[in-house]
Amino acid sequence: MAAQFGRRLRKGAATTAVAAVAVAALSASQAPGVNDHGRQTAADATPSPDASASDGSATGNSPYYTDLPPLKSPNPSPSTGTGPAAPGTTEAGIPATVLDAYKKAEAALNSAKPGCNLPWQLLAAIGRVESGQARGGRVDADGTTLSPILGPQLDGNGFALIRDTDDGAYDGNSSYDQAVGPMQFIPSTWAWAGRDGNDDGKKDPNNVYDAALAAGHYLCRFDWDLSDQDDLDRAILSYNNSREYLNLVMRWVEYYRKGTHEIPDGTGTLPGNRSDDGAGASPSPSTPSTPTTPVPGGSKPRPSPKPEKPGGGTTTPKPPTDPGSTPTTPPSTPPTNTDTVDHLEDAGTAKLTAMAGDAFTKRISTRAETKAGKAVGKVRVRFTIIGTTDTTFTGGENVATVATNSSGVAVAPALQAGEKTGEVTVRATVVGRTVAGLDYTATVTERAADALARTGDAALTCAPGGEFANQVEVKATYKGAVADGVAATATLIKSADDPTANDKGPYFKDADGKAVRTLKALKTDTKGLLKLPKLYADDTTGTFLLRVNTAGGATLTVELTVAAAETSSPSPSTSPSA
């Protein structure tokens, strides 16, 4: 089994052709459709046009393992016998620490974003496809991989072209980015998506707890509900923008849903086929003479252990076969779209204002332009909420990365106002390019109501020195909708023209039972209702006014009457005779 660990082997054209036939046959035998639970798989569902419109993928569309799950369903638990394992048992087993990381990430997301409905099987499927479950569970007790897991450098040679964004802090490469860790995040995505999943104070893409939690948050952004197939498709495609990737991940999701079990760390199988295998595929990056291990947090890379042999141990890179030959200068890489960006311009963003707790109806639009003012498409623009605020993008994130369209415009996700009022700054920057950022100001105002009405019409009367039988309840609305959480004040005023507090007539009681005629810090409930405390009357009779005001200017004046009870008139007596 040890021979299954190590580097991913590249296949020749003939081998690939044979493998392709086998994979095609296996794919056909596993044709997606409706499974035994009646649930439609992703391969039958066509993703929406905006399925990958978020940020160009978590992995930079790096290569991934393409091995399909076995045809036979997995056993719920491994055999306890001494004979060979049943078909599917090995593939269904997930290393203990890795499985624990997936399940803890699921629990964390169920608490933080319950509407996402993230299943741990989705994380397991992505972990299988991206890194073979952290190279078969080769992690230490804290969940950190025993050696770095790096994808090929994204230099445009058969892969995407993503120039260095982290000065080699995570991938040890200061020229180009590489996908890092068990869940294969590229550094520019990890910079905002990274999480501390094992509470050690660090966000390390090489730690399976951190990486699994980050992947969960990444898949749950934009208010996606992963129990909905369309949203699930969008989430998976945003991780790696490939229809084949979507279908493969969904096959592993369905496989793990049918049963899996825990196996010891380091004993998992490693797939053998990759999406970049075969004739014409660019060679894997050469191993540098002094490889480096990325150090999370931006510190200098440190030397790493020598590369592993497929059978374990280490190997030393061999010198060139012709030491006397003159090395050739690699061809210069043509500039990317990102390289041509000179500045960012506002693309017609309207005034950004929302009440606390509401979604902003307008969205930020930014255009990437060359020095000559020409629009630049397919450029990643990162939107970051700056400063201390509880306003976020829809989905709860404070960073979102969006690719510009053919007009050079990137539209940020909608903002969701928090409860903290005031101005919020959102900064737009170009990923992979040092140009001046563009700041936008969004304003969060306090919750408001524009109308108040009593919920009942019972007369509000009381005898002198008594208490009113009915309490005053009002309902607040804003533009016809319920106005919840709106601040209000209730005051027993002197007259319609004099809103100062009265010094006689009806009153409320404070906690000590003393008379008060102004109540502040009141708030409507989730239904927009506000029920005032009981009212009492002193010995003054007459008609009095209660005025309720809310943030936003809604006002309601209620009439109160204090009158002595009516007494019946005596019967007229007969006058005596004169």
Side-chain angles (χ1 to χ4, degrees), residues 1-6 85 89-91 135-136 138 263-270 309-312:
M1 180 178 292
Q4 298 183 63
F5 298 109
T89 297
T90 305
E91 291 82 353
R135 287 196 184 125
R138 299 193 66 178
I263 60 175
D265 289 344
T267 64
T269 60
L270 191 67
K309 294 180 180 179

Side-chain angles (χ1 to χ4, degrees), residues 233-285:
D233 288 354
R234 293 184 182 97
I236 296 172
L237 285 169
S238 78
Y239 211 89
N240 194 313
N241 188 18
S242 162
R243 179 72 187 191
E244 292 75 16
Y245 182 88
L246 167 65
N247 292 345
L248 180 62
V249 167
M250 278 307 306
R251 285 193 173 99
W252 279 106
V253 168
E254 296 299 337
Y255 183 76
Y256 286 133
R257 276 177 173 152
K258 293 176 182 177
T260 188
H261 57 274
E262 177 184 298
I263 60 175
D265 289 344
T267 64
T269 60
L270 191 67
N273 300 293
R274 279 204 328 180
S275 59
D276 61 334
D277 284 342
S282 63
S284 298

Side-chain angles (χ1 to χ4, degrees), residues 58-59 178-181 183-187 189-190 193 205 210-212 214-215 218 239:
T59 68
Q178 294 175 247
V180 181
M183 304 303 279
Q184 290 289 277
F185 279 97
I186 54 173
T189 301
W190 184 261
D210 294 359
Y218 185 91
Y239 211 89

